Amino acid sequence: MINPGHGRGPDSGTAGGGSNSDPFPANLRVLVVDDDPTCLMILERMLMTCLYRVTKCNRAEIALSLLRKNKNGFDIVISDVHMPDMDGFKLLEHVGLEMDLPVIMMSADDSKSVVLKGVTHGAVDYLIKPVRIEALKNIWQHVVRRKRNEWNVSEHSGGSIEDTGGDRDRQQQQREDADNNSSSVNEGNWRNSRKRKEEEVDDQGDDKEDTSSLKKPRVVWSVELHQQFVAAVNQLGVDKAVPKKILEMMNVPGLTRENVASHLQKYRIYLRRLGGVSQHQGNMNHSFMTGQDQSFGPLSSLNGFDLQDLAFAGQLPAQSLAQFQAAGLGRPTLTKPGMSVSPLVDQRTIFNFENPKIRFGDGHGPTMNNGNKQMNLLNGVPTGMEPKQFAGSHMRVQQQITGVRPGQNVQSSGMMLPVADQLPRGGPSMLPSLGQQPILSSSVSRRSDLTGAVAVRNSIPETNNRVLPTTHSVFNNFPSDLPRNRFPLASAPGISVPVSASYQEEVNSSDARGGSSAATVATAGFGNPSYDIFNDFPPHQQHNNNISNKLNDWDLRNMGLVFSSNQDAAAATAAFSSSSSTQRKRRETDATVVAEHGQNIQPPSRNLNHLNHVYMDGGSVRVKSERVAETVTCPPANTLFQEQYNQEDLMSAFLKQEGIPSVDNEFDFDGYSIDNIPV
Amino acid sequence: MQRQVALIKQSLFDQGYLDEQFMELEELQDDANPNFVEEVSALYFKDSARLINNIDQALERGSFDFNRLDSYMHQFKGSSTSIGASKVKAECTTFREYCRAGNAEGCLRTFQQLKKEHSMLRKKLEQYFQLARQAGPKETARRPK
């Protein structure tokens, strides 16, 4: 995409004011989404004048499917805020979660609240209409920035990267460019981030920062990675955690300090959001978790925050929250009763994969349960996620999982979002998170890019892994009563509320009742930017009570999925139910899971949309889930999950889910292929 | 002739029909896209006619769903802004204010005004483009050199 060798200035029309001799920005592949044909035409013309490669789109759904089909086909997305078929912010979330691309919002509306919404949802910039060409000239900075982050994470190998002056130059250029971007509201942010980047660069001396090699592999914050991250953060203390130390503790080859730093930032934001979100929900998680480990106490609170932070990404509320919750749970002090919830959430979302295992892990053993306390959280949570949900909610789930992790510092709440992506990977891994951190890694990597809302997801997975061992107790609690189930969803007070709520419900169901309720909550709430899911949680509980814990895990996952797609709690429950039952199978493959369980939980719509469909197609799903729950019966479910929930399996399951055609195109996550996520 | 075209254009600006955004659009026009501005205008009028229709129907229904009206108007305002139709944009803003205030009477009145401005602008632009085409495709479409 970016063709450094272009040999020409990026803007042919410019008198050279903003154009550098650096040909880099040219050929940037931009996707413009706006329902107004006039604007679309004008923007296209302007972007072409900037020598960008433009693709127009007048409907958000089409844009999403385009993005999904060509995962690496675009570098940046520009979207209008007010669109008839889908809210621009929703699209923003999806893109951030699934593709981790920078998204610029634009609108004729320049009211502060809307602009702020753009920021909180993770937009990299906000342009006021009428958009001037000068503003568009500099959008490449966002692409570069993101790539740098990704690059840092993936390239890091002990900080052996040499310092390059080119990097600095670029930074300076970008600074200047930012200045020119008068219609951007992110100038300040840009500078700050630039500064940070520069610092990071100074530390790391990333020699790959030059513009010509922007195409660096992204660091995917898988569930495991995120769990690791969260665990590290928890150990250090959220407030005291510094990227360097976290990096050391995580000890992940290829991970750079910058990756961690950006992920940490996202996580912190997530936590903050969680804090703002209903804490009570986190309590739900807490209770869940409490059994696990004292340490979860604080985690739960953290989770709540975490999840929220995760949710901050945007709509990931439920899932992310769950994840964060899970992550938060990872914290040693789970004293809070509600902790369980959060861990679950965290775990759930991101680690849904993991969690399911964990949850069911009651029988599993330490790992499953949360082998790490944190894990449990997720275990419970994700289990609720039905495969279907999972698919759709991959992202979410992941987040949830991460959130769920009780002990995990789900700081990566932001990770939650990415969870979806990660889920596939992280999912399965999440479960095993008890022992494995594969999911985390996926989530973790996602985290790095959490710039968008999504990043959340991955962070959690990591924590989950770690958490698992410690969080066994967490799960332990679950078995009896689904704390797990509740866990993920509930835990994510903020974000995962929806997720956790449902998840928990689901979890509960799986455990006791089937966290389907939680799951549903999660699902329902997922899409809610406002963490309503948690609120929804209670009502949903009924849904999936039957769902075994296993479901919970799935639920979490599904929840995550659900969340994003629909705030339909019912769907969530449905998703969870199906997920729970299918979770087991899910781990292996989404499709198979579903089939095996016979629940048919409708193929976990990977997309959240699917979840909706899954659910529902009307509610039928819900029924299924419940039915499934019954069939699943906790004990067997648990066992099933235990076996099946390998994180990897989960991940694959999720991934597979991705492959499942979305019934509902609300979110159209079809395109969301986990393939891209390096597991 | 070109001068005539230029004069017409200038008057449009002076009278407030068009604003700087229109100039921006002209900047985008070049040899490769000689009729860009005209194309955009045509697109704008086509789309805005549709919007006006929707709003008309909504108003005739008498139900006064202010939210919906506001949302229509938001779209309308967006396109009008992008093309630089400042008078139309001003009417849109007024309309939205009335919507927010729940003032149906005000909405109706403003909408009539808006339609007037809209068709006036359309006429003038059509006239302008026609003349510009006659005077010579590229030059007239640009600012007088």
Side-chain angles (χ1 to χ4, degrees), chain A residues 385-444:
Chain A
M385 303 277 298
E386 309 217 324
K388 280 188 289 203
Q389 298 181 340
F390 200 78
S393 56
H394 276 305
M395 306 227 300
R396 304 290 172 137
V397 174
Q398 290 201 342
Q399 297 191 343
Q400 295 187 347
I401 297 189
T402 49
V404 175
R405 285 181 179 274
Q408 309 199 356
N409 297 319
V410 184
Q411 314 214 350
S412 51
S413 39
M415 306 258 206
M416 305 261 307
L417 293 174
V419 175
D421 289 332
Q422 308 272 333
L423 280 181
R425 276 178 304 168
S429 51
M430 296 260 317
L431 288 179
S433 57
L434 294 176
Q436 317 162 24
Q437 319 214 334
I439 300 185
L440 285 175
S441 49
S442 54
S443 54
V444 171

Side-chain angles (χ1 to χ4, degrees), chain A residues 19 53 75 77 98 105 129 134 137 150 195 208 255 283 349 371 380 385 399 438 512 517 572 600 614 630 636:
Chain A
S19 65
R53 305 219 292 252
D75 299 310
V77 178
E98 295 180 32
M105 301 305 293
K129 284 183 182 174
E134 290 79 27
K137 277 191 204 141
E150 293 175 4
K195 279 211 185 97
K208 299 218 176 44
L255 194 68
N283 291 339
T349 45
M385 303 277 298
Q399 297 191 343
S517 52
N600 279 350
V614 171
E630 291 167 2

Side-chain angles (χ1 to χ4, degrees), chain A residues 35-39 41-42 45-46 49 82 107 109 129-133, chain B residues 21 24-25 28 30 33 36 39-40 43-44 47 74-75 78-79 81-82:
Chain A
D35 61 316
D36 182 347
T38 312
C39 285
M41 189 180 197
I42 296 175
R45 189 84 270 284
M46 285 182 173
T49 305
H82 299 275
S107 176
D109 190 355
K129 284 183 182 174
V131 178
R132 297 175 67 92
I133 196 171
Chain B
Q21 183 62 17
E24 286 269 323
L25 298 187
L28 292 173
D30 56 17
N33 301 272
F36 176 68
E39 285 165 12
V40 174
L43 188 57
Y44 166 70
D47 191 53
H74 179 82
Q75 290 181 48
S79 359
T81 310
S82 301

Side-chain angles (χ1 to χ4, degrees), chain B:
Chain B
M1 181 137 212
Q2 289 180 18
R3 204 155 57 88
Q4 202 177 354
V5 173
L7 280 174
I8 290 185
K9 185 158 69 156
Q10 191 56 42
S11 82
L12 285 175
F13 281 106
D14 293 341
Q15 290 172 43
Y17 284 102
L18 296 174
D19 60 22
E20 303 79 33
Q21 183 62 17
F22 193 80
M23 291 190 214
E24 286 269 323
L25 298 187
E26 294 190 311
E27 288 286 330
L28 292 173
Q29 192 159 279
D30 56 17
D31 294 353
N33 301 272
N35 302 313
F36 176 68
V37 188
E38 187 173 357
E39 285 165 12
V40 174
S41 299
L43 188 57
Y44 166 70
F45 283 111
K46 185 171 91 163
D47 191 53
S48 53
R50 179 184 60 87
L51 274 173
I52 286 180
N53 233 4
N54 288 345
I55 300 177
D56 252 331
Q57 287 175 13
L59 287 174
E60 272 166 28
R61 269 198 296 266
S63 51
F64 282 101
D65 180 351
F66 288 117
N67 282 336
R68 172 182 275 182
L69 288 174
D70 188 67
S71 131
Y72 279 139
M73 201 43 76
H74 179 82
Q75 290 181 48
F76 202 115
K77 184 178 173 193
S79 359
S80 306
T81 310
S82 301
I83 200 180
S86 50
K87 282 198 175 178
V88 177
K89 181 172 75 165
E91 296 297 336
C92 289
T93 308
T94 310
F95 186 98
R96 291 186 81 194
E97 281 168 18
Y98 278 124
C99 273
R100 296 208 193 105
N103 185 341
E105 168 65 30
C107 284
L108 281 170
R109 252 186 303 121
T110 310
F111 190 58
Q112 297 310 317
Q113 187 64 23
L114 188 151
K115 280 195 282 188
K116 243 198 289 175
E117 292 292 346
H118 183 258
S119 63
M120 178 77 88
L121 178 66
R122 180 189 219 141
K123 275 202 212 73
K124 290 196 179 269
L125 275 179
E126 278 172 6
Q127 187 187 31
Y128 166 73
F129 285 125
Q130 197 176 17
L131 218 53
R133 256 181 278 123
Q134 288 172 21
K138 294 175 199 169
E139 298 163 61
T140 52
R142 301 240 173 103
R143 261 189 225 124
K145 305 221 169 116

